[in-house]
Amino acid sequence: DQQVKQNSPSLSVQEGRISILNCDYTNSMFDYFLWYKKYPAEGPTFLISISSIKDKNEDGRFTVFLNKSAKHLSLHIVPSQPGDSAVYFCAASARTGNQFYFGTGTSLTVIP
Amino acid sequence: DGGITQSPKYLFRKEGQNVTLSCEQNLNHDAMYWYRQDPGQGLRLIYYSQIVNDFQKGDIAEGYSVSREKKESFPLTVTSAQKNPTAFYLCASSTDITEKGFFGQGTRLTVV
């Protein structure tokens, strides 16, 4: 049973435009969320996080939005750059829990 | 430089043989994890360890074994009991199980 879902397997965006990657979760106990970026044949690298006490967290070109009532989070990349082309995973956990649950990933392609 | 190292990057084994994947970290992290990634799927947790000499099964532990004799090391053995061992294996570590994980580069295991 997939507790974290990324329903878009792929996304293509023109360079300079906004990329929006979405993630939904089912467990209302989740209160800490992460986004990772992954290149082929490499391990994921941490990008940005958000806890449930916030609804937005920003780091440079990357902003994560959390809508707790909808159990939805999104990652915005503005402006998108070709180097952003990668697979993006969202992950969620409950602070009282013992693991992060990962989505299936969204492959982002930024077209020059 | 602090980091997490997995070796080897590529590994080939014959069906029926056990194989051990190495994971070492020098980040002084207490928690370590093994994940498996298959095409079209997210990262699935195999085993995790919160502290030396202790480890817990994740969602897909069957056919795998681990040990945590040292803080720095968390080797994973893929046994002949694992029905579909060919996959990309990722090791991660974190300060504790509630915090974001730092990943190694992964090991691609192919069983023929």
Side-chain angles (χ1 to χ4, degrees):
Chain A
D1 184 29
Q2 194 78 18
Q3 298 193 56
V4 178
K5 299 178 184 179
Q6 293 176 258
N7 292 318
S8 298
S10 62
L11 175 68
S12 291
V13 170
Q14 287 290 136
E15 181 178 4
R17 306 294 288 268
I18 184 171
S19 296
I20 300 176
L21 295 93
N22 294 305
C23 179
D24 297 292
Y25 60 97
T26 57
N27 190 336
S28 59
M29 298 298 291
F30 288 156
D31 55 8
Y32 188 43
F33 305 88
L34 310 174
W35 282 95
Y36 283 90
K37 176 179 177 179
K38 183 183 179 303
Y39 293 115
E42 293 186 11
T45 54
F46 170 73
L47 202 54
I48 193 168
S49 65
I50 189 167
S51 74
S52 59
I53 60 172
K54 292 184 165 186
D55 54 18
K56 175 182 173 181
N57 189 26
E58 205 169 342
D59 184 1
R61 295 186 297 114
F62 302 91
T63 303
V64 56
F65 295 92
L66 176 62
N67 182 333
K68 291 183 286 293
S69 60
K71 296 192 184 69
H72 177 84
L73 64 155
S74 61
L75 174 69
H76 293 210
I77 306 174
V78 184
S80 301
Q81 299 174 353
D84 295 330
S85 297
V87 177
Y88 290 79
F89 289 97
C90 64
S93 78
R95 285 290 193 172
T96 55
N98 58 9
Q99 65 167 299
F100 280 91
Y101 293 88
F102 284 79
T104 52
T106 296
S107 178
L108 172 67
T109 302
V110 180
I111 303 162
Chain B
D1 282 341
I4 182 164
T5 303
Q6 290 185 243
S7 61
K9 194 168 175 69
Y10 299 96
L11 192 53
F12 295 86
R13 277 296 181 270
K14 289 186 177 180
E15 196 173 328
Q17 291 182 335
N18 291 356
V19 59
T20 298
L21 282 60
S22 169
C23 179
E24 304 277 333
Q25 55 99 358
N26 60 5
L27 299 167
N28 200 33
H29 285 168
D30 284 317
M32 296 188 75
Y33 317 80
W34 275 105
Y35 292 89
R36 169 180 171 143
Q37 187 191 8
D38 295 284
Q41 299 204 37
L43 280 63
R44 293 184 291 165
L45 184 64
I46 304 172
Y47 268 98
Y48 67 97
S49 168
Q50 296 185 63
I51 200 165
V52 174
N53 292 323
D54 181 68
F55 48 83
Q56 306 294 328
K57 291 182 180 180
D59 298 323
I60 54 166
E62 186 176 346
Y64 300 97
S65 66
V66 292
S67 63
R68 186 86 188 276
E69 296 176 3
K70 297 186 300 181
K71 187 174 186 177
E72 303 80 18
S73 179
F74 191 41
L76 173 74
T77 296
V78 185
T79 76
S80 55
Q82 168 49 231
K83 290 182 172 47
N84 296 297
T86 294
F88 189 54
Y89 290 88
L90 287 159
C91 180
S93 69
S94 63
T95 51
D96 65 60
I97 59 169
T98 65
E99 293 300 326
K100 63 180 182 288
F102 291 84
F103 284 84
Q105 294 296 293
T107 294
R108 167 75 61 186
L109 173 65
T110 303
V111 175
V112 295

